[in-house]
Amino acid sequence: MTKPHIDKALALVWAARRKVQGHTGWVTSPIDYATEATQVISDLKNYCFRTVNGKAYQVSDTFQGNANPVEIDPSYLSVAAYTIFKNFTNDTFWASALSGAYDLLTKDTHATMKNISYPNDPHSNTTMTGVGYWSDWCGLDPATGNIVTPPNNRDIVYGYDAFRIPYRVYWDLIWNNSASAKTLLTGSIRQDFINMWNTSPQAIFAEIWYDGTVKGQYEKSMMTMAAYFTLLVASSSDPTAAEMWSAKLAHLFTQNPGGEYFMDSPNTSGQFVGQPSYFSDSWMMIGMLLKNGTWQNF
């Protein structure tokens, strides 16, 4: 899996910067963060990308060197980090990686792919063409650079992987003032979210078939948050975003003696009964940092 290595490299870059800047607790550290960061970034470049038609594409894991098609999880593409790696290493490879990422994220919204097998479901093994939503997984044809059905029986719905893409692209916008990020988030995905919200009942559903129809008739706040700040890109006073905030997101805020947080789906068993659930509430926290502009690039 390439995603955690991107996060590791980014953390080491930040640590190296803080040490150079003389921050207390960092400047006296015996760890050479810059060397560590450079090594991880080099490993990412050498083992976690495939180059097609002059663009580098981040793949799902280190086993994709000779795969055809190449397996890719679009939500792993941490586009904001690529620019940071380029500035840190002065390696133009990361400009190619950024170009490849936005090429894939653009193509993935309107490709034609085949669903996996779903028992007793009419969508099983059907072919769908995208209408603007990203897919949890996709394949990359290493000869043409086109998006194709992913290998290894991977799902193509917009769901628990793909919802992370707006977060990652929005990072690139606020950290790097990326024009590509703004273009992507003000494109067809914006209207898709507006159309979904304006269809009764007002909701951003958690799972969407690749053709835009609803798969999972339930909500998750982290998906609503992704739609919310996607709409803010076009206008900070977007009326649909304001409705999402007041009707859904604001009601999830919880205050108690243990702290303040957004409660989505509290745990129901074990020692953490009633407490926030790790995955959804972590993304809600990230969403709030992005919304407020307080997620810093150190």
Side-chain angles (χ1 to χ4, degrees), residues 10 13 24 30 33 37 39 67 78 84 135 137 157 166 169 189 198-199 204 226 284 294:
L10 190 57
V13 169
T24 302
Y33 296 109
Q39 183 59 60
S78 189
I84 293 170
S135 59
W137 295 85
V157 301
V169 175
I189 188 63
N198 288 332
T199 301
I204 298 297
M284 285 297 289
T294 50

Side-chain angles (χ1 to χ4, degrees), residues 9-244:
L10 190 57
L12 287 167
V13 169
W14 285 339
R17 286 180 179 173
R18 294 183 74 79
K19 184 172 183 177
V20 168
Q21 291 165 355
H23 287 273
T24 302
W26 297 90
V27 68
T28 57
S29 172
I31 300 172
D32 187 342
Y33 296 109
T35 298
E36 296 285 342
T38 300
Q39 183 59 60
V40 177
I41 293 170
S42 176
D43 287 345
L44 283 165
K45 171 185 173 179
N46 292 329
Y47 301 111
C48 300
F49 285 83
R50 288 279 296 272
T51 298
V52 179
N53 297 332
K55 297 183 178 71
Y57 297 88
Q58 182 184 329
V59 300
S60 62
D61 55 43
T62 57
F63 300 104
Q64 301 301 312
N66 296 308
N68 185 8
V70 183
E71 181 188 83
I72 292 180
D73 183 331
S75 77
Y76 289 3
L77 307 185
S78 189
V79 286
Y82 296 170
T83 297
I84 293 170
F85 296 163
K86 177 179 177 292
N87 293 337
F88 184 77
T89 63
N90 293 316
D91 188 343
T92 57
F93 168 83
W94 293 102
S96 175
L98 195 64
S99 177
Y102 277 109
D103 178 64
L104 184 137
L105 291 173
T106 300
K107 290 177 179 176
D108 182 47
T109 58
H110 292 85
T112 298
M113 296 186 282
K114 188 176 181 179
N115 279 311
I116 62 174
S117 177
Y118 297 97
N120 303 314
D121 192 305
H123 296 89
S124 182
N125 295 312
T126 57
T127 297
M128 290 185 171
T129 297
V131 296
Y133 294 101
W134 293 285
S135 59
D136 279 355
W137 295 85
C138 70
L140 178 73
D141 185 328
T144 65
N146 292 334
I147 301 300
V148 297
T149 300
N152 305 316
N153 202 37
R154 295 296 197 179
D155 214 330
I156 64 169
V157 301
Y158 175 89
Y160 283 81
D161 278 27
F163 88 92
R164 298 179 293 195
I165 296 169
Y167 286 80
R168 294 193 181 278
V169 175
Y170 196 76
W171 270 324
D172 197 27
L173 178 63
I174 65 172
W175 283 354
N176 302 311
N177 195 29
S178 167
S180 296
K182 186 170 185 177
T183 297
L184 199 60
L185 294 180
T186 55
S188 56
I189 188 63
R190 168 181 167 78
Q191 194 59 51
D192 286 336
F193 283 143
I194 291 173
N195 291 345
M196 192 192 327
W197 178 259
N198 288 332
T199 301
S200 181
Q202 283 193 324
I204 298 297
F205 292 110
E207 293 182 289
I208 310 296
W209 292 109
Y210 190 59
D211 67 359
T213 55
V214 177
K215 179 178 186 288
Q217 292 273 354
Y218 64 95
E219 302 171 76
K220 284 288 184 180
S221 62
M222 56 191 178
M223 276 78 164
T224 305
M225 181 65 84
Y228 169 73
F229 58 68
T230 295
L231 300 187
L232 292 182
V233 173
S235 171
S236 59
S237 58
D238 183 89
T240 305
E243 288 179 6
M244 288 180 187

